[in-house]
Coordinates of all heavy atoms in Angstrom, one line a residue:
L1314 N -8.3 -10.2 -9.9 CA -7.1 -10.6 -10.6 C -5.9 -10.8 -9.6 O -5.6 -9.9 -8.9 CB -6.7 -9.6 -11.7 CG -5.4 -9.9 -12.5 CD1 -5.6 -11.2 -13.3 CD2 -5.1 -8.7 -13.3
C1315 N -5.3 -12.0 -9.6 CA -4.2 -12.3 -8.7 C -2.9 -12.5 -9.4 O -2.8 -13.3 -10.3 CB -4.5 -13.6 -7.9 SG -6.0 -13.4 -6.8
L1316 N -1.9 -11.7 -9.0 CA -0.6 -11.7 -9.6 C 0.4 -12.0 -8.6 O 0.7 -11.2 -7.7 CB -0.3 -10.3 -10.2 CG -1.5 -9.7 -11.1 CD1 -1.1 -8.3 -11.5 CD2 -1.7 -10.6 -12.4
E1317 N 1.0 -13.2 -8.6 CA 1.8 -13.7 -7.5 C 3.1 -12.9 -7.4 O 3.5 -12.7 -6.2 CB 2.1 -15.2 -7.7 CG 1.0 -16.1 -7.6 CD 1.3 -17.6 -7.7 OE1 2.5 -17.9 -8.3 OE2 0.6 -18.5 -7.3
G1318 N 3.7 -12.6 -8.4 CA 5.0 -11.9 -8.4 C 6.2 -12.8 -8.1 O 6.2 -14.0 -8.5
D1319 N 7.2 -12.2 -7.5 CA 8.5 -13.0 -7.4 C 8.8 -13.3 -5.9 O 8.0 -12.9 -5.0 CB 9.6 -12.0 -7.9 CG 9.4 -11.6 -9.3 OD1 9.2 -12.5 -10.2 OD2 9.5 -10.4 -9.6
G1320 N 9.9 -14.0 -5.7 CA 10.3 -14.3 -4.3 C 9.3 -15.0 -3.5 O 8.8 -16.1 -3.9
I1321 N 8.9 -14.4 -2.4 CA 7.9 -15.0 -1.5 C 6.5 -14.8 -2.0 O 5.5 -15.2 -1.4 CB 8.0 -14.4 -0.1 CG1 7.8 -12.9 -0.1 CG2 9.4 -14.8 0.5 CD1 7.7 -12.3 1.3
G1322 N 6.3 -14.1 -3.2 CA 5.0 -13.8 -3.7 C 4.0 -15.0 -3.8 O 2.9 -14.9 -3.3
P1323 N 4.5 -16.1 -4.4 CA 3.6 -17.3 -4.5 C 3.1 -17.8 -3.1 O 1.9 -18.2 -2.9 CB 4.4 -18.3 -5.2 CG 5.3 -17.5 -6.0 CD 5.7 -16.3 -5.2
E1324 N 4.0 -17.8 -2.1 CA 3.6 -18.3 -0.8 C 2.6 -17.4 -0.1 O 1.6 -17.9 0.5 CB 4.9 -18.4 0.1 CG 5.9 -19.4 -0.4 CD 7.3 -19.2 0.3 OE1 7.4 -19.7 1.4 OE2 8.1 -18.5 -0.3
I1325 N 2.9 -16.1 -0.1 CA 1.9 -15.2 0.6 C 0.6 -15.0 -0.2 O -0.4 -14.8 0.4 CB 2.6 -13.9 1.0 CG1 2.9 -13.1 -0.2 CG2 3.8 -14.1 1.9 CD1 3.4 -11.6 0.1
M1326 N 0.7 -15.2 -1.5 CA -0.6 -15.2 -2.3 C -1.4 -16.4 -1.9 O -2.7 -16.3 -1.8 CB -0.3 -15.1 -3.8 CG -1.5 -15.0 -4.6 SD -2.4 -13.4 -4.4 CE -1.3 -12.3 -5.4
A1327 N -0.8 -17.6 -1.8 CA -1.6 -18.8 -1.5 C -2.2 -18.6 -0.1 O -3.4 -19.0 0.1 CB -0.6 -20.0 -1.5
T1329 N -3.1 -15.7 1.3 CA -4.1 -14.7 1.2 C -5.4 -15.3 0.6 O -6.5 -15.0 1.1 CB -3.6 -13.6 0.4 OG1 -2.5 -13.0 1.0 CG2 -4.7 -12.5 0.2
L1330 N -5.2 -16.1 -0.4 CA -6.4 -16.7 -1.1 C -7.1 -17.7 -0.2 O -8.3 -17.9 -0.2 CB -6.0 -17.3 -2.4 CG -5.5 -16.3 -3.5 CD1 -5.2 -17.0 -4.8 CD2 -6.6 -15.2 -3.7
E1347 N -9.0 -14.8 -11.1 CA -8.2 -15.1 -12.3 C -6.7 -14.9 -12.0 O -6.3 -13.9 -11.3 CB -8.6 -14.1 -13.4 CG -7.8 -14.3 -14.7 CD -8.1 -13.2 -15.7 OE1 -9.0 -12.3 -15.5 OE2 -7.6 -13.3 -16.8
R1349 N -2.8 -14.5 -13.3 CA -1.9 -14.2 -14.4 C -0.4 -14.1 -13.9 O -0.2 -13.7 -12.8 CB -2.2 -12.9 -15.1 CG -3.6 -12.9 -15.8 CD -3.6 -13.6 -17.1 NE -4.9 -13.5 -17.8 CZ -5.0 -12.9 -18.9 NH1 -4.0 -12.3 -19.5 NH2 -6.2 -12.8 -19.5
A1350 N 0.5 -14.5 -14.8 CA 1.9 -14.4 -14.4 C 2.5 -13.0 -14.6 O 2.2 -12.4 -15.7 CB 2.7 -15.5 -15.2
I1351 N 3.3 -12.6 -13.7 CA 4.1 -11.3 -13.9 C 5.5 -11.6 -13.4 O 5.8 -12.7 -12.9 CB 3.5 -10.1 -13.1 CG1 3.4 -10.5 -11.6 CG2 2.1 -9.7 -13.6 CD1 3.1 -9.2 -10.7
G1352 N 6.4 -10.6 -13.4 CA 7.7 -10.8 -12.9 C 8.6 -11.7 -13.7 O 8.4 -11.9 -15.0
F1353 N 9.5 -12.4 -13.1 CA 10.4 -13.3 -13.8 C 9.7 -14.4 -14.6 O 10.1 -14.8 -15.6 CB 11.5 -13.9 -12.9 CG 12.5 -12.9 -12.5 CD1 12.7 -12.5 -11.2 CD2 13.4 -12.4 -13.5 CE1 13.7 -11.6 -10.9 CE2 14.4 -11.5 -13.2 CZ 14.6 -11.1 -11.9
T1362 N 8.0 -8.5 -18.0 CA 7.6 -8.8 -16.6 C 6.2 -8.4 -16.3 O 5.6 -8.8 -15.3 CB 8.5 -8.0 -15.7 OG1 8.6 -6.6 -16.1 CG2 10.0 -8.5 -15.7
I1363 N 5.5 -7.6 -17.2 CA 4.1 -7.3 -17.1 C 3.5 -7.2 -18.5 O 3.5 -6.1 -19.1 CB 3.8 -6.1 -16.2 CG1 2.2 -5.9 -16.1 CG2 4.5 -4.9 -16.6 CD1 1.8 -5.1 -15.0
V1367 N -2.0 -8.6 -19.2 CA -2.2 -8.5 -17.8 C -2.7 -7.2 -17.4 O -3.7 -7.0 -16.6 CB -0.8 -8.8 -17.0 CG1 -1.0 -8.4 -15.5 CG2 -0.4 -10.2 -17.2
V1377 N -7.5 -5.9 -7.9 CA -6.3 -6.7 -8.2 C -5.5 -7.0 -6.9 O -5.5 -6.1 -6.0 CB -5.3 -5.9 -9.1 CG1 -4.0 -6.7 -9.4 CG2 -6.0 -5.6 -10.5
I1378 N -5.0 -8.2 -6.7 CA -4.2 -8.5 -5.6 C -2.8 -8.7 -6.2 O -2.6 -9.7 -6.9 CB -4.6 -9.8 -4.8 CG1 -6.1 -9.6 -4.4 CG2 -3.7 -10.0 -3.6 CD1 -6.7 -10.8 -3.7
L1379 N -1.9 -7.9 -5.8 CA -0.5 -7.9 -6.4 C 0.5 -8.3 -5.4 O 0.7 -7.7 -4.4 CB -0.2 -6.4 -6.9 CG 1.2 -6.2 -7.4 CD1 1.5 -7.0 -8.7 CD2 1.4 -4.7 -7.7
G1380 N 1.2 -9.4 -5.7 CA 2.3 -9.9 -4.9 C 3.5 -9.0 -5.1 O 3.6 -8.2 -6.0
P1381 N 4.5 -9.2 -4.2 CA 5.8 -8.4 -4.3 C 6.6 -8.8 -5.5 O 6.5 -10.0 -6.0 CB 6.5 -8.7 -3.0 CG 6.0 -10.1 -2.6 CD 4.5 -10.1 -3.0
V1382 N 7.4 -7.9 -6.0 CA 8.2 -8.1 -7.2 C 9.6 -7.8 -7.0 O 9.9 -6.9 -6.1 CB 7.6 -7.4 -8.4 CG1 6.3 -7.9 -8.8 CG2 7.5 -5.9 -8.2
S1383 N 10.5 -8.4 -7.7 CA 12.0 -8.1 -7.6 C 12.4 -7.2 -8.7 O 13.4 -7.5 -9.4 CB 12.7 -9.5 -7.7 OG 12.3 -10.4 -6.6
H1384 N 11.8 -6.0 -8.8 CA 12.0 -5.2 -10.0 C 13.4 -4.6 -10.0 O 13.9 -4.3 -11.1 CB 11.0 -4.1 -10.1 CG 11.0 -3.1 -9.0 ND1 11.8 -2.0 -9.0 CD2 10.4 -3.1 -7.8 CE1 11.6 -1.3 -7.8 NE2 10.7 -2.0 -7.1
Y1387 N 15.4 -6.9 -12.3 CA 14.9 -7.1 -13.7 C 15.9 -6.5 -14.7 O 16.7 -5.6 -14.4 CB 13.6 -6.4 -13.9 CG 12.4 -7.0 -13.2 CD1 11.2 -6.3 -13.1 CD2 12.4 -8.2 -12.6 CE1 10.1 -6.8 -12.5 CE2 11.4 -8.8 -12.0 CZ 10.2 -8.0 -11.9 OH 9.1 -8.6 -11.2
N1396 N 8.6 -2.4 -14.1 CA 8.2 -2.6 -12.8 C 6.6 -2.8 -12.8 O 5.9 -1.8 -13.1 CB 8.5 -1.4 -11.9 CG 8.0 -1.4 -10.5 OD1 7.4 -2.4 -10.1 ND2 8.3 -0.4 -9.7
P1397 N 6.1 -3.9 -12.5 CA 4.6 -4.1 -12.5 C 3.9 -3.2 -11.7 O 2.8 -2.7 -12.0 CB 4.5 -5.6 -12.1 CG 5.8 -6.3 -12.4 CD 6.8 -5.2 -12.2
S1398 N 4.4 -2.9 -10.5 CA 3.7 -2.0 -9.6 C 3.6 -0.6 -10.2 O 2.5 0.0 -10.3 CB 4.4 -1.8 -8.3 OG 3.9 -0.9 -7.4
G1399 N 4.7 0.0 -10.7 CA 4.6 1.3 -11.4 C 3.7 1.3 -12.6 O 3.0 2.3 -12.8
L1401 N 1.1 -0.6 -13.3 CA -0.3 -0.7 -12.9 C -0.8 0.6 -12.3 O -1.9 1.1 -12.6 CB -0.6 -1.8 -11.9 CG -0.5 -3.2 -12.5 CD1 -0.6 -4.3 -11.4 CD2 -1.6 -3.4 -13.6
R1402 N 0.0 1.3 -11.5 CA -0.4 2.5 -10.9 C -0.6 3.6 -12.0 O -1.6 4.3 -11.9 CB 0.7 3.0 -9.9 CG 0.8 2.2 -8.7 CD 1.9 2.7 -7.8 NE 2.1 1.7 -6.7 CZ 2.9 1.9 -5.6 NH1 3.5 3.1 -5.5 NH2 3.0 1.0 -4.7
S1570 N -1.4 -2.2 2.3 CA -1.3 -1.1 1.4 C -2.3 -1.3 0.3 O -2.5 -2.4 -0.2 CB 0.1 -1.0 0.8 OG 0.2 -0.1 -0.2
N1572 N -3.6 0.7 -3.3 CA -3.5 1.7 -4.3 C -4.9 1.8 -4.9 O -5.5 0.8 -5.3 CB -2.5 1.3 -5.4 CG -1.2 0.9 -4.9 OD1 -0.4 1.8 -4.6 ND2 -0.9 -0.4 -4.7
V1579 N -5.8 -1.7 -6.3 CA -4.9 -2.8 -6.3 C -4.4 -2.9 -4.8 O -3.8 -2.0 -4.2 CB -3.7 -2.5 -7.2 CG1 -2.6 -3.6 -7.1 CG2 -4.1 -2.4 -8.6
A1580 N -4.6 -4.1 -4.3 CA -4.0 -4.5 -3.0 C -2.6 -4.9 -3.2 O -2.3 -5.7 -4.1 CB -4.8 -5.6 -2.3
Q1581 N -1.7 -4.4 -2.3 CA -0.2 -4.7 -2.5 C 0.5 -4.6 -1.2 O 0.4 -3.7 -0.4 CB 0.4 -3.7 -3.5 CG 1.8 -3.8 -3.7 CD 2.4 -2.7 -4.6 OE1 1.8 -1.7 -4.8 NE2 3.5 -3.0 -5.2
A1582 N 1.2 -5.7 -0.8 CA 2.0 -5.7 0.4 C 3.0 -4.6 0.3 O 3.5 -4.2 -0.7 CB 2.7 -7.0 0.6
Q1583 N 3.2 -4.0 1.5 CA 4.2 -2.8 1.5 C 5.6 -3.2 1.4 O 6.5 -2.4 1.0 CB 3.9 -2.1 2.8 CG 4.4 -0.6 2.9 CD 4.0 0.1 4.1 OE1 2.8 0.1 4.4 NE2 4.9 0.8 4.7
H1584 N 5.9 -4.5 1.7 CA 7.3 -5.0 1.7 C 7.7 -5.5 0.3 O 6.9 -5.6 -0.6 CB 7.5 -6.1 2.7 CG 6.6 -7.2 2.6 ND1 6.7 -8.1 1.6 CD2 5.5 -7.6 3.3 CE1 5.8 -9.1 1.7 NE2 5.0 -8.8 2.7
G1585 N 9.0 -5.9 0.2 CA 9.5 -6.5 -1.0 C 9.3 -8.0 -1.1 O 8.6 -8.6 -0.3
S1586 N 10.1 -8.5 -2.1 CA 9.9 -10.0 -2.5 C 10.7 -10.9 -1.7 O 10.5 -12.1 -1.7 CB 10.2 -10.1 -4.0 OG 11.5 -9.8 -4.2
A1587 N 11.7 -10.4 -0.9 CA 12.5 -11.2 0.0 C 13.0 -12.6 -0.6 O 12.6 -13.6 -0.1 CB 11.7 -11.5 1.3
P1598 N 2.7 -13.7 5.9 CA 1.7 -13.2 4.9 C 0.7 -12.1 5.3 O -0.1 -11.7 4.5 CB 0.9 -14.5 4.6 CG 0.9 -15.2 5.9 CD 2.2 -14.9 6.6
S1600 N 0.9 -8.9 5.7 CA 0.8 -7.6 4.9 C -0.1 -7.8 3.7 O -1.0 -6.9 3.5 CB 2.2 -7.2 4.5 OG 2.1 -6.0 3.7
L1601 N 0.1 -8.8 3.0 CA -0.8 -9.0 1.8 C -2.2 -9.4 2.2 O -3.2 -8.9 1.5 CB -0.2 -10.1 0.9 CG -0.9 -10.2 -0.5 CD1 -0.8 -8.9 -1.3 CD2 -0.3 -11.4 -1.3
I1602 N -2.4 -10.1 3.3 CA -3.7 -10.4 3.8 C -4.5 -9.1 4.2 O -5.6 -8.9 3.8 CB -3.7 -11.4 4.9 CG1 -3.2 -12.8 4.4 CG2 -5.0 -11.5 5.7 CD1 -2.8 -13.8 5.5
S1604 N -3.8 -6.1 3.1 CA -4.0 -5.3 1.9 C -5.2 -5.8 1.2 O -6.0 -5.0 0.7 CB -2.8 -5.5 1.0 OG -1.6 -5.1 1.6
T1605 N -5.4 -7.1 1.2 CA -6.7 -7.7 0.6 C -7.9 -7.3 1.4 O -9.0 -7.0 0.9 CB -6.5 -9.2 0.4 OG1 -5.3 -9.5 -0.4 CG2 -7.7 -9.8 -0.2
L1608 N -8.8 -4.0 0.3 CA -9.4 -4.0 -1.0 C -10.9 -4.4 -0.8 O -11.8 -3.8 -1.5 CB -8.7 -5.0 -1.9 CG -9.3 -5.3 -3.3 CD1 -9.3 -4.0 -4.1 CD2 -8.5 -6.4 -4.0

Side-chain angles (χ1 to χ4, degrees):
L1314 177 66
C1315 296
L1316 310 173
E1317 289 183 344
D1319 303 307
I1321 61 173
E1324 297 166 80
I1325 64 173
M1326 183 66 76
T1329 299
L1330 294 181
E1347 179 183 2
R1349 294 287 186 112
I1351 59 167
F1353 282 116
T1362 52
I1363 180 162
V1367 171
V1377 179
I1378 305 175
L1379 174 63
V1382 293
S1383 302
H1384 63 91
Y1387 291 167
N1396 177 1
S1398 175
L1401 288 175
R1402 292 179 188 189
S1570 173
N1572 306 281
V1579 175
Q1581 179 182 17
Q1583 199 170 312
H1584 58 70
S1586 60
S1600 179
L1601 191 60
I1602 290 168
S1604 301
T1605 302
L1608 176 62

